[in-house]
Amino acid sequence: MSLEKNRIITIANQKGGVGKTTTAINLATALAAIGERVLIVDLDPQGNASTGLGIDRRDRRLSSYDVLIGTHSVSEAVLETAVPNLSIVPSTMDLLGFEMEISQQADRVFRLKRALNQDDARAYSYVLLDCPPSFNLLTMNAMAAAHSVLVPLQCEFFALEGLSQLLDTINQVRQTVNPTLDIQGIVLTMFDSRNNLAQQVVSDVREHLGEKVYATLIPRNVRVSEAPSYGKPAILYDLKCAGSQAYLQLASEVIQRERQRKAA
């Protein structure tokens, strides 16, 4: 890969409903499909990434909660998915108590970073951290552990306002706990080409952030929305649909950016 054993990418946006988990699942699947060994760490107590990859709640004997509190390693908590090369550390509702349990601990922000520094976690070429839709201690752990942040951004009126808050947060994290944290890129989601407002949002975001914005636009797509209810990524559920094809293009862009970064 690179000088790092792997590449850890936090997928974050404090706003809900922007396609964050959908992006985590389908980007991971696309990366796995081209031969990368990928791990998702589900850090959202709702566990949507775990459910969307077909992980039954009864099978989540260990979870990201156990990894964060330090009782078990990543390799002990990891589960294989139906996608070759793609594994997940699932989530359970136990995560709801995480912040309260360790809020007084000096290392509370670095629990995930320490876990991902172990050799069993470093065996994956990409680790994607799926965060809850809020800026809390779970998201802070993800940003402290990550090399970069990938931001899914819905093509809607308040997108830029929410993005500026998130960029401020990333800057704060950079100044306090992770000085090397970078923005992997902004991916525009739920794009409807028939909607003039969506077109304007795309134009505004590209004007403000330039090359940080991926060329790929993730369209609004019924098949992508249906896929989680079948416990499958859209790429497995319907490879040929517009949403699946867009996530394959996004994976190609992510890898291309990694190559450029390493060559720089």
Side-chain angles (χ1 to χ4, degrees), residues 13 48 57 129 131 158:
N13 191 323
N48 290 338
R57 290 192 182 275
L129 310 178
C131 295
F158 292 113

Side-chain angles (χ1 to χ4, degrees), residues 185-217:
I186 315 293
V187 57
L188 292 160
T189 63
M190 303 181 188
F191 176 71
D192 184 346
S193 59
R194 300 164 299 180
N195 186 323
N196 288 336
L197 176 60
Q199 300 271 16
Q200 187 60 50
V201 169
V202 171
S203 176
D204 289 349
V205 173
R206 292 199 192 286
E207 183 181 338
H208 282 82
L209 292 160
E211 293 182 356
K212 284 294 183 187
V213 186
Y214 289 106
T216 303
L217 296 172

Side-chain angles (χ1 to χ4, degrees), residues 8-13 43 112 127-131 139 141-152 181 184:
I8 303 172
I9 302 173
T10 290
I11 300 180
N13 191 323
L43 295 171
L112 185 59
V127 179
L128 305 186
L129 310 178
D130 187 36
C131 295
T139 305
N141 262 267
M143 290 193 178
H147 299 113
S148 61
V149 183
L150 189 151
V151 183
L181 185 66
Q184 178 82 20

Side-chain angles (χ1 to χ4, degrees), residues 5-32:
K5 292 278 186 180
N6 56 15
R7 188 69 173 164
I8 303 172
I9 302 173
T10 290
I11 300 180
N13 191 323
Q14 74 272 31
K15 190 176 184 301
V18 300
K20 182 174 51 59
T21 297
T22 301
T23 296
I25 290 171
N26 287 290
L27 175 58
T29 301
L31 290 168

Side-chain angles (χ1 to χ4, degrees), residues 54-74:
I55 306 298
D56 193 288
R57 290 192 182 275
R58 292 169 294 185
D59 296 330
R60 302 177 202 179
R61 187 178 59 84
L62 296 173
S63 71
S64 53
Y65 168 80
D66 300 286
V67 172
L68 285 163
I69 63 170
T71 58
H72 292 84
S73 68
V74 167

